[in-house]
Amino acid sequence: MSASHSVGIDLGTTNCAVAFADLAAGADAAVVDFPVPQLQRPAQTGAQSLLPSCLYVAGEHELPPGSTRLPWGESPKAIAGEFARWQGARVPGRLVASAKSWLCHAGVDRSAPILPWGAPAEVAKLSPVDASARLLAHLASAWNHAHPAAPLAVQDVVITVPASFDEVARALTVRAARQAGLEKLTLVEEPQAAFYDFTSRHRGDLATALADVRLVLVVDIGGGTTDFTLIQIAVTPDGPSLQRIAVGDHLMLGGDNMDAALARQVEERLLSGGRKLGATQWTQLVQAARAAKEALLGAEPPTRHGISLVSEGSRLLGGTLSAEIDRAEAERLILEGFFPTCAPDETPRRAARAALQELGLPYAQDAAVTRHLAAFLRQHATAGCAALNAEPTAARLSSPPLLPRPDAILLNGGVFNSPRIAGRLLDVVSTWWPEAPRVRLLRHDSLELAVARGAACYGLVRRGLGQRIGGGAAHAFYVGLAADQAGAAPRAVCVIPRGHEEGQTLDLTGRPFSLTLGQPVQFPLFSTTADRIDPPGGVVKLGDEFRPLPPIHTLLRAAHGKAGTIPVHLRATLTELGTLELWCVANETDERWRLEFELRGAAARTAATVIESMPAEYGEVRAVVGRVFGKTPLTVGPRDVKQLGSTLEVEGPCTVYAEQMKSK
C-alpha cells in the first residue's frame, strides 16, 4: 500500500497536534487539521484539536471497568490526553508530563522507567521514550480509526522536534515513533515547520508577503523549550529562495516555567511561614496559574483573577484555599521576569534556576528570553550580516556589539496568544536599533496548530510539491582526539560540517585510527551551532562554543575471531530522517561497526556505582533527595540499581549514600 497523505505531527511538550494533506491534490493540496479523539472524563470521549501531552497511569481498581474505553475499542493502562491532565491534577503521583523535556535530559537514562518522576514504588513507570511512544500510538490509533483504508504506518509522516534538540534526543524520537509502529517517517525542526506553514498560506503571493524581507527571525516558545532560527530570504528570477542559516543552542525554557513562577507567587500568598503545598494541590495550582496567565495577559484581560484550591485537610474554613492575582502583578512577573527590557550586549545570567527545576528537569538558569535572544543574534552576527549583504559597520547593526537586525519576526507557540507578551518581545527587540522602525511582525494563523500544519507541508515539499527551506545540518559534529602531550589544548576532528546536506555520506579516510579488536571503544562527541565551516576530517581546538554530547561507543568483534589491532576510519551520515549515523570502517577489509550513543546519564552511572558497591546486608536505605522531593524520603535497596540510577541526580543523593556507606 502506498502513501496517500502527508501527515504532520507536532509532538509537543504540553500538547500534540496533527494535520494532513492529500498527496493526490499535488502542490495545491489543502492542509487539514485532524481533531484527535480522546478520553475527556470517565466513559466520556470526544475529539479535540489538541491532545494534551499527558499520560495517566491508573491504579488497578481506580476506575470503573469500561470507563476508559476509547472509540477504537482499546482501554489503555496509560491514558493519554485530556483525561490524563484532568485526573493527574487530582492524583499527580500517577501523571506523566513533559516527556519531551525528559527526552533531551542528558543527566538521566532516557530509556529507563523513571516517569512519573518521584512516583511511589507501586506506580508502574515509563521511560521518556516509552511515554513519547504511547502518545504517538494514541495518535496513530485515532488516525487509523478515522481512516481505516489509509493506516498511518504507510503514510508520509513528519514529526517535529525542537531545532535545538541534540542528536540523542532526535534518535530517541525516531525510536519512540518506531515503537508506535511508524517506520516511514522523517523529522523537521519546529521553527522551520512554523515557517513552512507561513509559506503554505502564501503559495500564490509569497514574493509579496516577503517583500523587502531579507532576514526572518523565528522565535518559537513551547511548553518546555525556546528555539531561535534565522532564515535568509533571497530574491531570484523564480521567486524567493529560502535558506535556514542559524539555530540557537538548546534552551530548556518555556511556558511551563511561566506557569510555575506564577504559581509559586500565589503559593506564598496562600500559605505562611514558608510552608509548601502538597503535590496534589501544587499540580492544581500550576494549572490554575496557567489559566490566570492566559486571562490576565489576554486580549481583553480582567483586572483581577481568582484562584481557589480544594483543601487537603479539614482545618481550613470552607475547605478551600483562595487568593487573587491582579493584572499588574502578572504582567510584572511574566513580562519583567521572562521578557525584560535589556541592552543588546547583555548576556544570560547565572542565577537560581527557574521554578520547574523542582520537578527534576535542568531548566535554563536565566529565565529572560530576551537576553538569550540577544546572545543568539550576537553569536550569529556573521551569518546575519551576510544574509543582509551588510558590512559590520552598516547602520542596520547596533555597534557595539554587532547585532544583525531582522527585517521580520515570526512568532510561534501558545505563549504568544497573549498580545502583551508578543508586543513586549517585539518592543524589546526593536529597541536594539533605536533609529530604525519597529521590526515587522509576520502574521500567523494559529499558534497552536502552525507546527503540525507546517510539518504536513514539509511532507509535500519532500515530494517536490512546494518550496524547500535549504541550509542542511544546523549543527556541526566533532569526535574528540586524545591529547598529544600533557596540558595540551583538547582537540577534535570534524565528521559532519555545518550545512551538510541530508543523505550524504562522508568517509574520513584521511584520519585513520588504530583500534584493538575484541575490546569496547568509546569516542567523545561534540557539536556546535556556531558560524564556522570546518572541512570534514579537519582538526580543531575545542572552545566554549562546542557542546559535549553523550559519547559514542561500540565493541569491535572481527570475523573468524581475529584478534589484534587494525586500522579503521570514521564514516558519518546525516540520514534522511535528520539523525546522525557514525561507523568505524576497516581500511583493509569490508567490515564495519556502528557506533551507538551512550544513553545513561552521568548521574545514573554515579548512583549505580555507589549502590552496586553496597553490601546486601545493609538492606533498605532512606535518604533525603535534595530539592526535588523536599523532605520526602525515598526508600531504595541494593537491588534497585537501575531504578535508582535512572531517577536520582548526583547532587545530593549520591553524596548521602556514600556517607552512609562509609559510616557503616
Side-chain angles (χ1 to χ4, degrees):
M1 184 182 296
S2 59
S4 57
H5 296 85
S6 169
V7 182
I9 298 178
D10 177 8
L11 184 63
T13 304
T14 306
N15 293 293
C16 299
V18 180
F20 64 96
D22 187 348
L23 293 174
D28 295 325
V31 177
V32 182
D33 300 324
F34 175 66
V36 183
Q38 56 198 280
L39 189 69
Q40 297 174 337
R41 297 293 185 270
Q44 178 185 336
T45 60
Q48 298 179 183
S49 59
L50 300 174
L51 175 79
S53 303
C54 301
L55 294 167
Y56 185 77
V57 185
E60 185 176 356
H61 304 293
E62 179 180 354
L63 300 170
S67 63
T68 64
R69 186 180 177 85
L70 293 167
W72 45 92
E74 182 186 9
S75 295
K77 293 182 179 179
I79 306 163
E82 179 59 35
F83 175 83
R85 182 167 61 184
W86 177 77
Q87 184 70 0
R90 291 152 180 77
V91 191
R94 291 184 173 274
L95 176 66
V96 176
S98 301
K100 180 177 177 179
S101 294
W102 288 99
L103 206 62
C104 60
H105 186 356
V108 299
D109 183 349
R110 289 163 273 187
S111 59
I114 61 175
L115 303 176
W117 179 261
E122 66 269 15
V123 176
K125 297 179 178 62
L126 303 172
S127 73
V129 176
D130 290 335
S132 300
R134 301 276 182 117
L135 293 171
L136 289 169
H138 181 101
L139 296 175
S141 296
W143 171 274
N144 294 342
H145 180 69
H147 304 87
L152 191 61
V154 301
Q155 306 309 312
D156 285 354
V157 176
V158 179
I159 299 176
T160 65
V161 294
S164 56
F165 249 23
D166 67 25
E167 291 310 297
V168 177
R170 290 172 188 251
L172 293 178
T173 301
V174 173
R175 182 191 296 183
R178 287 176 171 159
Q179 282 185 210
L182 305 178
E183 293 285 345
K184 191 178 179 181
L185 75 144
T186 191
L187 306 179
V188 68
E189 297 166 5
E190 289 163 4
Q192 280 200 63
F195 199 75
Y196 273 119
D197 175 59
F198 177 84
T199 61
S200 175
R201 289 185 286 108
H202 293 279
R203 294 175 190 177
D205 65 342
L206 187 59
T208 302
L210 295 176
D212 301 321
V213 174
R214 290 176 290 175
L215 186 64
V216 175
L217 168 65
V218 183
V219 179
D220 182 1
I221 301 182
T225 58
T226 291
D227 268 335
F228 307 127
T229 292
L230 287 175
I231 297 177
Q232 178 184 3
I233 313 297
V235 178
T236 72
D238 298 324
S241 171
L242 314 176
Q243 189 88 354
R244 192 272 321 280
I245 60 173
V247 301
D249 290 325
H250 184 64
L251 187 58
M252 195 176 285
L253 174 68
D256 290 351
N257 299 76
M258 301 174 199
D259 302 334
L262 193 59
R264 189 63 70 204
Q265 182 91 348
V266 175
E267 182 187 45
E268 293 175 359
R269 188 168 302 162
L270 291 171
L271 303 175
S272 60
R275 292 183 298 145
K276 300 293 183 183
L277 292 170
T280 299
Q281 288 181 309
W282 171 251
T283 303
Q284 294 172 348
L285 179 57
V286 170
Q287 292 196 20
R290 178 180 298 118
K293 176 193 71 179
E294 293 171 352
L296 294 169
L297 300 178
E300 298 180 1
T303 303
R304 306 180 68 82
H305 186 92
I307 291 178
S308 297
L309 301 178
V310 178
S311 171
E312 290 185 336
S314 59
R315 292 176 295 171
L316 296 172
L317 182 63
T320 61
L321 292 168
S322 299
E324 282 192 334
I325 185 165
D326 60 48
R327 184 171 66 225
E329 184 179 14
E331 288 183 350
R332 183 181 68 254
L333 185 65
I334 302 300
L335 299 184
E336 299 303 327
F338 292 86
F339 302 93
T341 300
C342 66
D345 59 349
E346 284 193 46
T347 59
R349 299 170 183 174
R350 298 185 62 84
R353 291 187 183 271
L356 275 186
Q357 174 64 15
E358 297 184 10
L359 298 183
L361 289 166
Y363 282 88
Q365 292 187 359
D366 189 347
V369 173
T370 44
R371 283 194 285 269
H372 289 288
L373 179 53
F376 165 74
L377 290 175
R378 288 197 308 274
Q379 181 185 8
H380 297 285
T382 300
C385 291
L388 295 165
N389 296 319
E391 295 296 329
T393 56
R396 64 186 296 110
L397 305 175
S398 66
S399 181
L402 298 180
L403 211 64
R405 178 184 179 275
D407 296 303
I409 293 178
L410 178 68
L411 302 178
N412 188 63
V415 165
F416 292 117
N417 277 319
S418 164
R420 294 287 291 121
I421 293 178
R424 167 56 75 93
L425 179 70
L426 208 62
D427 287 342
V428 173
V429 172
S430 297
T431 63
W432 296 338
W433 301 273
E435 298 181 359
R438 196 168 190 251
V439 178
R440 175 182 166 188
L441 184 64
L442 297 181
R443 183 179 174 274
H444 63 80
D445 190 53
S446 172
L447 290 165
E448 290 92 354
L449 301 174
V451 166
R453 294 172 179 174
C457 295
Y458 179 63
L460 295 175
V461 168
R462 283 174 55 82
R463 286 178 169 253
L465 304 174
Q467 185 163 359
R468 192 179 191 116
I469 301 173
H475 303 74
F477 298 95
Y478 303 77
V479 170
L481 300 175
D484 294 333
Q485 55 188 10
R491 301 179 307 148
V493 58
C494 178
V495 292
I496 292 283
R498 186 167 171 266
H500 182 73
E501 293 297 334
E502 296 175 358
Q504 297 182 7
T505 297
L506 294 173
D507 272 290
L508 306 185
T509 54
R511 292 285 173 187
F513 297 88
S514 294
L515 295 179
T516 303
L517 297 174
Q519 294 185 7
V521 294
Q522 183 168 284
F523 300 88
L525 188 65
F526 302 87
S527 72
T528 182
T529 59
D531 291 343
R532 57 182 301 155
I533 302 295
D534 296 309
V539 176
V540 302
K541 290 183 179 180
L542 294 174
D544 293 339
E545 72 270 27
F546 291 87
R547 302 298 177 95
L549 295 174
I552 51 178
H553 64 100
T554 191
L555 178 62
L556 293 172
R557 297 187 186 277
H560 312 299
K562 185 171 64 175
T565 300
I566 63 170
V568 299
H569 67 271
L570 293 176
R571 174 178 295 167
T573 302
L574 191 65
T575 71
E576 302 237 345
L577 283 174
T579 58
L580 176 68
E581 281 190 2
L582 284 171
W583 301 77
C584 268
V585 181
N587 290 348
E588 299 173 355
T589 67
D590 59 356
E591 292 177 286
R592 61 177 184 167
W593 301 265
R594 183 169 180 172
L595 302 176
E596 304 283 354
F597 284 106
E598 170 59 65
L599 296 182
R600 295 185 66 195
R605 290 193 297 272
T606 306
T609 300
V610 173
I611 298 303
E612 283 171 341
S613 63
M614 181 185 296
E617 60 266 23
Y618 284 3
E620 291 187 339
V621 180
R622 297 180 68 81
V624 176
V625 186
R627 291 188 301 162
V628 178
F629 302 111
K631 295 182 179 180
T632 303
L634 182 71
T635 303
V636 298
R639 296 183 180 179
D640 297 328
V641 176
K642 185 174 182 182
Q643 179 181 350
L644 176 71
S646 303
T647 304
L648 303 183
E649 294 183 318
V650 174
E651 184 179 359
C654 286
T655 303
V656 170
Y657 291 125
E659 289 175 353
Q660 291 191 6
M661 290 168 58
K662 185 176 180 181
S663 66
K664 295 207 178 201

